[in-house]
Amino acid sequence: MESLTELVQFMQPSQRLDLKKIALTHVLGLTGTEEGKCAILSVDDLLTALFHLTADESLALAKDAVLALINLTADESGAIKVYNTSREMQPVTMYSLFHIQLVRNFVLLQAYELIATAISHIINENSNLADPWSMVLSNLTREESIAYGTLDILDENPALMTQLIKAFTKLQYNKNKAKLDYLGPIFCNLTQTHRGRELLCRSKCNLLDKILPFSTYEESIIRRGGVIGILKNICFDPLYHEIILREPDDILNVILYPLCGPEEFTDEENELLPMELQYLPDTKTREEDPGLRKMLLECLLQLCATRKSREHLRSKGVYEILREYHKWEQQEGRHKDCLLACENVVDILIKKEEEILVDNYKTIEVSKDMKEKFIQEDEEYLKDPL
């Protein structure tokens, strides 16, 4: 602890470059271990020094400072600590300056706009630090309270969200080859909240429609996983089911397309399917990541909540698509989690509404004993080998 505190004086903006580099290299190395991260997070002055170094004139030094923040915010407690410390920084009075050791190496402290700094780098097409800053913001916004803080900033300046969407949807937006794939998880994290879902779904700029095409972006699982995560968050909120199941079936197609393969359907079955999912080529493959396949199936399960939505899904051939998907998952995908998720949807869609006798599943009160029974049954299912 004492040695870390001593490093602070060498990490001040006015220090010699070589001293700053040595100190920061040591700190960055410590962020690679849990013990090191805990030690750093316990020294507020060290975090403050890191904040200042993210804007250092040396790009290499600034990048290392941001990389340290990525590691420090990788888990919930670290993200909250870093965020709160940035907000709690207070100006230093002239009186207190005389009581700070090595005062000539310190700068006046001010509140550090952590979220705003990250956003400014992400939307700056010339930034060399856009990708690492997007990773910091992705880590931070996983915490719901910080997601709300980010939305506060976006609400204050609506143009920022439009610019973030542009940075995400325009490939090669950044002139220094930053990929900005982590904007996907950032948007996903924001849709944990009702305000985030409203921002994407009710926007006059059709923000959701602009993001959805990247659900099949093969070059980055981070990017397409973020988009599929957005869909999942929206599907878990019944307020947006009508938007998801709107005509034309563009959003439903986004959910179903990654689950479709090259299998042939009868003419009658093809007539049920949305036009974009009919007569797919022999080269059509399914989403390769089982975690993302499961998320898509969970989207469909949430859409089965009401009778109106169930009938819509049946009319679009969702059962027929999942019938073929289940065969493929058994033989090739071979992931029990995905099979279980598929069977949960099929078990509902295969039934007639006269058998279900419930308009909205979400209104049913399930006892604690029954919940535990269902969980146990699922666990037993997952234990059995394929």
Side-chain angles (χ1 to χ4, degrees):
M1 179 77 71
E2 186 176 345
S3 61
L4 284 178
T5 303
E6 290 175 357
L7 283 177
V8 174
Q9 61 185 302
F10 301 112
M11 295 173 63
Q12 300 308 310
S14 58
Q15 265 290 6
R16 285 167 31 199
L17 179 61
D18 59 332
L19 295 178
K20 287 188 289 188
K21 183 177 180 180
I22 293 170
L24 183 55
T25 298
H26 180 65
V27 169
L28 180 57
L30 288 175
T31 64
T33 67
E34 290 301 317
E35 184 180 359
K37 286 194 290 185
C38 289
I40 293 170
L41 291 169
S42 67
V43 183
D44 288 359
D45 287 346
L46 191 55
L47 290 178
T48 299
L50 274 176
F51 295 151
H52 288 308
L53 288 180
T54 62
D56 197 89
E57 292 179 356
S58 165
L59 177 60
L61 211 63
K63 183 176 182 179
D64 280 352
V66 182
L67 292 178
L69 291 180
I70 293 173
N71 292 342
L72 291 171
T73 57
D75 55 49
E76 180 181 348
S77 60
I80 293 173
K81 175 63 178 178
V82 169
Y83 179 68
N84 288 341
T85 301
S86 72
R87 289 165 57 88
E88 292 166 1
M89 288 169 58
Q90 296 296 324
V92 178
T93 65
M94 293 306 295
Y95 173 81
S96 64
L97 278 177
F98 289 105
H99 295 80
I100 298 178
Q101 189 178 11
L102 296 172
V103 63
R104 62 187 176 84
N105 290 323
F106 283 79
V107 295
L108 287 172
L109 299 180
Q110 58 183 356
Y112 182 71
E113 300 294 341
L114 182 61
I115 303 299
T117 299
I119 292 174
S120 68
H121 276 278
I122 294 169
I123 65 176
N124 180 357
E125 59 187 16
N126 294 307
S127 174
N128 288 291
L129 300 175
D131 267 344
W133 269 116
S134 69
M135 295 173 72
V136 172
L137 190 56
S138 175
N139 285 347
L140 289 170
T141 51
R142 285 185 301 194
E143 169 56 35
E144 188 174 5
S145 62
I146 304 178
Y148 276 114
T150 304
L151 288 166
D152 288 340
I153 293 173
L154 297 176
D155 286 344
E156 290 172 7
N157 188 349
L160 288 177
M161 187 62 176
T162 303
Q163 198 65 31
L164 287 171
I165 296 290
K166 181 180 179 181
F168 182 70
T169 56
K170 181 182 177 182
L171 296 178
Q172 300 178 339
Y173 170 88
N174 184 280
K175 295 178 180 179
N176 291 304
K177 298 183 179 180
K179 297 182 181 299
L180 300 178
D181 292 329
Y182 277 86
L183 271 170
I186 290 170
F187 296 142
C188 177
N189 294 340
L190 295 181
T191 57
Q192 296 176 89
T193 71
H194 175 69
R195 282 171 57 194
R197 294 189 290 273
E198 277 288 296
L199 183 60
L200 282 181
C201 293
R202 310 285 190 193
S203 168
K204 295 179 181 179
C205 302
N206 298 319
L207 299 182
L208 181 62
D209 292 338
K210 293 176 180 179
I211 290 173
L212 291 180
F214 291 94
S215 63
T216 54
Y217 186 70
E218 294 182 357
E219 285 76 5
S220 172
I221 189 174
I222 300 296
R223 181 178 286 248
R224 73 175 186 274
V227 174
I228 291 173
I230 291 168
L231 280 171
K232 180 181 174 182
N233 287 342
I234 293 172
C235 285
F236 267 77
D237 191 334
L239 286 174
Y240 305 103
H241 285 188
E242 287 192 7
I243 293 177
I244 295 168
L245 298 176
R246 70 191 180 191
E247 298 282 357
D249 304 299
D250 49 346
I251 300 182
L252 181 59
N253 289 344
V254 169
I255 297 173
L256 292 174
Y257 184 81
L259 300 174
C260 291
E263 294 84 9
E264 294 184 4
F265 294 95
T266 66
D267 290 341
E268 289 182 355
E269 290 173 337
N270 266 314
E271 287 180 6
L272 290 174
L273 305 181
M275 185 67 67
E276 290 79 359
L277 303 182
Q278 295 179 13
Y279 304 105
L280 295 175
D282 293 339
T283 55
K284 174 67 175 71
T285 58
R286 291 182 167 89
E287 167 58 52
E288 63 182 22
D289 184 81
L292 299 187
R293 296 200 300 273
K294 182 184 176 185
M295 288 169 65
L296 291 164
L297 293 163
E298 289 170 343
C299 289
L300 294 173
L301 182 63
Q302 293 304 313
L303 293 174
C304 287
T306 64
R307 176 170 183 160
K308 180 180 178 181
S309 296
R310 294 190 293 270
E311 290 176 340
H312 184 84
L313 294 178
R314 293 188 188 102
S315 73
K316 298 299 179 179
V318 174
Y319 166 75
E320 285 73 16
I321 289 173
L322 294 186
R323 180 192 67 205
E324 299 305 314
Y325 166 81
H326 189 270
K327 295 176 185 176
W328 175 87
E329 190 69 65
Q330 278 187 315
Q331 298 170 8
E332 298 185 41
R334 299 186 64 78
H335 278 267
K336 292 296 292 286
D337 283 342
C338 295
L339 280 172
L340 178 59
C342 178
E343 290 168 11
N344 286 339
V345 181
V346 170
D347 285 346
I348 294 174
L349 294 181
I350 203 170
K351 293 178 182 176
K352 297 180 179 179
E353 289 301 321
E354 292 75 15
E355 298 176 81
I356 295 176
L357 297 175
V358 175
D359 180 69
N360 189 342
Y361 275 118
K362 291 185 179 290
T363 62
I364 299 175
E365 291 288 339
V366 181
S367 68
K368 182 179 178 180
D369 290 343
M370 289 301 296
K371 287 181 181 178
E372 292 176 352
K373 179 183 177 183
F374 293 147
I375 292 173
Q376 185 177 358
E377 288 177 350
D378 287 351
E379 290 175 349
E380 290 297 324
Y381 176 92
L382 294 173
K383 287 179 183 177
D384 292 336
L386 281 170

